[in-house]
Amino acid sequence: MSRRIQGTPGAGGVASGPLWRYRAAPESASAVGGPVGLVPPAVADAGDAPADPVEAIRAAAAEAARQLESLAERVRGLGRGEEAGIFEAQAMMALDPELLDEAVARAEAGEAAEAAVAGAAEKASAVLAALPDELLAARAADVRDVGARIVRILRGESLVLPDQPSIAVADDLPPSIAAEIPPGLLLGVALAGGSATAHAVILARGLGIPAIVGALGLVEAAVSATAIAMDGNSGELVLDPDAGEMAEFKARAVLLAERRGAAASLRGRPGATSDGQRVILLANIGGPQDAARALEAGAEGVGLFRTEFLFMSRQTAPSEAEQIEPYRRVFEAFGPDRQVVVRLADIGGDKALPYLNLPAEANPFLGVRAIRLAYRSRELLAAQLRAIWRAAGRAGVTPHVMAPMVATLADVELLLELRDEARASVAASGDPLPERMVTGVMIEVPSAAIMAPEMARIVDFFSIGTNDLTQYTLAADRGNPALGRLQDGLHPAVLRLIAGVVAGAGAAGIPVAVCGELAGDPLGAAVLVGLGVDELSADAGSLDGVRAALAGVTRAQAVDLARRALAAGDAATVRAMARDLVG
Ligand code: PEP
Ligand code: MG
């Protein structure tokens, strides 16, 4: 009998096919419910393995690093730069002296090599996992995954990959496992755990396959299932679908393929409504490795360059000199005519990096984070601003910069001061300097939205972070799958704040962008444009859908939709209204 489960949409698309189950724990070879992703060695190869457990651990860690490096090289060759970065970081984790010293100490104290590695990896990841931040939680999963790989090598186990096109079902699917699956054999990813920002979701978006996360009870329910149908746009999945359900999902897939084809055919055009109201479509990127994909997707520039990656996975803060090169590469990729908005590091608080030496906080999401760090020490953001000035000078472009987590006018004034001090310092060194730095703030804290009219008078632009603005407005942790229904930026409470921001910006004559997930959602895009937003910035893979949605509505239709949305009672009603218009 078929069984429906509702999860959270991760990556768009519709797929159906056989299940391929994966379980991460080193004990997984004995997992319940039939085939899992691992089998023990057919023939024990103890002859090749060093007898000394300490030597065996070091050899297995070196082999894990080698495997991860070659995986990175392979996916980079396929143009999947973001994933390659994850595997490169994991290769370094496999050789991390702290992890190895801990494993060796455990082995010397008498633990078996496998247990010593698993224990050391668990200890390292538990520290990260305890932090209520999605990025660090994802790194915790990466460390655990590296540990599992070393254990697998020690045991001589190998992965059993799907032998036919299948949908992966798991609690979580580490990218290093997913990337081992030849591209054509992975049709979709359905996870009981994870959040919309989990690595498996990033990977699915990169591959253009659907992903669903937070499908509670999925792994248990799927124990005896053989087939699955899934819709990554709605988050619905069906285990062992009957003929009628199979036909329903096949029809959805056909419709989606038609739409995607039509949307891709508009790629060379700039964003606009059907009657020519321009909407600038920009990409969100995480580093220079994402530039090519954004340009191919027809991005008119970068609306959000998240710079956190430069600050993570390190023992000390990156120096000014170390930062110049990645910024320059992004500026040069987009050239002087396409804006690139660099967001200052959104770290501290929930992303408590070891070198910041911050005291533990009871509520890190409400803690000393991002621009708030500069009240404690100006140097971190000052060095970043100097690096951006210098990189832009070398690339010959006018940089755009914005600060995240701005809550007060004092925060804005501090940003402007830091910017000017950084300029003076670079000027004194005689290096080439751009004329100006276009300076904005993210509006992602309700107080900033409310104070937008005052802030608009002293900055050059606003960029609304709907992910955090929704989280803080509805008091619903964005990483908590149990609160999925509260995490929709189309809630009228959020839209009313956005309308106020647009009005404040309009009075001062500055543009408003949206760079949260809502900007990449075709329904969200239509509402936002109707509210008067000028620019939308989203993952490169979402730009086709947004461009096509806007090309299908007039400005007046979008304005009318936004007016009705503001008067609605909840997000579901707004979504239904938008679907009626956009389809
Ligand atoms: C946001 O909060 O909407 C945003 C774009 O920033 P981040 O997702 O990096 O917090
Ligand atoms: Mg944010």
Side-chain angles (χ1 to χ4, degrees):
M1 210 179 62
S2 72
R3 166 133 191 227
R4 271 185 192 253
I5 297 181
Q6 183 65 46
T8 304
V14 180
S16 53
L19 266 102
W20 176 75
R21 290 185 201 82
Y22 172 74
R23 228 182 119 184
E27 296 71 29
S28 60
S30 60
V32 281
V36 292
L38 297 175
V39 286
V43 182
D45 51 4
D48 302 335
D52 172 28
V54 171
E55 256 182 65
I57 289 172
R58 293 202 186 279
E63 170 59 14
R66 199 197 52 73
Q67 289 180 0
L68 287 159
E69 270 156 21
S70 79
L71 206 52
E73 211 171 293
R74 187 159 65 76
V75 297
R76 191 174 295 289
L78 296 169
R80 286 150 50 186
E82 194 164 358
E83 272 170 78
I86 297 171
F87 302 145
E88 275 157 9
Q90 283 190 306
M92 277 159 59
M93 287 175 195
L95 299 176
D96 179 40
E98 256 177 60
L99 180 74
L100 288 183
D101 288 352
E102 171 75 22
V104 164
R106 285 170 181 248
E108 283 172 347
E111 281 186 35
E114 292 94 329
V117 169
E122 196 47 51
K123 186 173 165 191
S125 74
V127 176
L128 294 167
L131 301 167
D133 167 66
E134 294 163 45
L135 275 176
L136 287 178
R139 274 189 57 219
D142 289 347
V143 175
R144 209 175 291 122
D145 177 40
V146 168
R149 182 175 287 265
I150 301 174
V151 169
R152 232 163 34 230
I153 294 167
L154 282 167
R155 287 182 176 171
E157 284 177 347
S158 53
L159 265 180
V160 184
L161 298 174
D163 53 6
Q164 55 181 331
S166 306
I167 294 174
V169 169
D171 265 318
D172 194 12
L173 184 69
S176 67
I177 299 294
E180 305 257 13
I181 304 173
L185 295 186
L186 190 61
L187 298 176
V189 177
L191 303 181
S195 72
T197 50
H199 276 151
V201 173
I202 296 174
L203 169 119
R205 287 200 191 119
L207 289 176
I209 59 172
I212 291 175
V213 295
L216 303 176
L218 169 65
V219 173
E220 298 74 21
V223 161
S224 56
T226 57
I228 177 170
M230 62 182 289
D231 182 340
N233 296 79
S234 65
E236 290 166 272
L237 62 85
V238 185
L239 291 168
D240 287 331
D242 60 29
E245 287 163 330
M246 211 57 184
E248 174 199 333
F249 278 77
K250 287 247 170 349
R252 287 194 205 187
V254 169
L255 190 68
L256 195 72
E258 279 170 14
R259 284 200 171 180
R260 281 185 172 172
S265 69
L266 298 178
R267 203 169 277 175
R269 292 200 210 161
T273 58
S274 62
D275 55 342
Q277 163 81 29
R278 275 285 275 133
V279 181
I280 298 176
L281 298 185
L282 305 160
N284 291 352
I285 65 168
Q289 73 280 1
D290 298 333
R293 186 168 158 256
L295 287 164
E296 272 161 34
E300 299 174 56
V302 171
L304 169 62
F305 174 6
R306 289 185 169 100
T307 57
E308 289 78 69
F309 81 102
L310 283 167
F311 292 79
M312 327 263 309
S313 310
R314 319 175 39 108
Q315 300 306 317
T316 53
S319 68
E320 178 185 330
E322 280 174 298
Q323 294 183 58
I324 295 173
E325 187 58 14
Y327 302 151
R328 187 190 59 76
R329 279 172 61 201
V330 173
F331 288 143
E332 286 183 353
F334 288 86
D337 301 327
R338 290 191 177 92
Q339 59 163 302
V340 170
V341 180
V342 184
R343 175 173 77 179
L344 297 182
D346 190 0
I347 53 175
D350 56 312
K351 293 164 199 149
L353 307 180
Y355 53 82
L356 294 178
N357 290 323
L358 291 171
E361 295 177 316
N363 292 299
F365 271 122
L366 308 177
V368 181
R369 169 179 166 191
I371 187 80
R372 296 174 181 182
L373 280 172
Y375 291 99
R376 189 173 159 270
S377 159
R378 292 163 94 98
E379 184 45 26
L380 194 83
L381 294 186
Q384 187 174 23
L385 282 158
R386 290 195 300 272
I388 297 168
W389 276 115
R390 283 192 212 278
R394 289 183 197 178
V397 303
T398 302
H400 291 54
V401 167
M402 65 183 179
M405 278 302 284
V406 164
T408 64
L409 281 168
D411 292 347
V412 186
E413 278 151 12
L414 177 59
L415 167 69
L416 301 182
E417 246 174 67
L418 287 165
R419 175 199 65 186
D420 294 344
E421 280 171 17
R423 185 176 205 285
S425 152
V426 176
S429 73
D431 272 11
L433 259 177
E435 277 283 294
R436 60 191 291 255
M437 182 180 275
V438 181
T439 310
V441 288
M442 284 192 76
I443 304 287
E444 53 182 352
V445 176
S447 63
I450 294 163
M451 297 299 283
E454 287 76 10
M455 289 189 183
R457 288 186 213 123
I458 50 173
V459 297
D460 300 316
F461 67 93
F462 285 152
S463 185
I464 302 176
T466 45
N467 307 337
D468 277 317
L469 188 60
T470 306
Q471 143 163 286
Y472 293 127
T473 303
L474 290 151
D477 178 349
R478 60 193 263 190
N480 185 343
L483 299 175
R485 77 204 146 75
L486 293 177
Q487 288 152 354
D488 192 337
L490 282 181
H491 194 285
V494 180
L495 298 180
R496 289 180 201 183
L497 285 176
I498 294 175
V501 173
V502 170
I510 65 165
V512 179
V514 173
C515 64
E517 295 298 311
L518 195 61
D521 168 357
L523 305 182
V527 175
L528 292 169
V529 167
L531 287 171
V533 165
D534 308 288
E535 301 174 5
L536 298 171
S537 190
D539 176 72
S542 306
L543 293 180
D544 276 355
V546 170
R547 191 182 294 106
L550 298 182
V553 300
T554 64
R555 180 173 180 276
Q557 283 174 322
V559 168
D560 178 60
L561 169 66
R563 185 186 51 74
R564 288 181 288 122
L566 287 172
D570 57 32
T573 309
V574 177
R575 269 197 185 274
M577 288 172 178
R579 202 169 286 115
D580 279 347
L581 178 64
V582 177

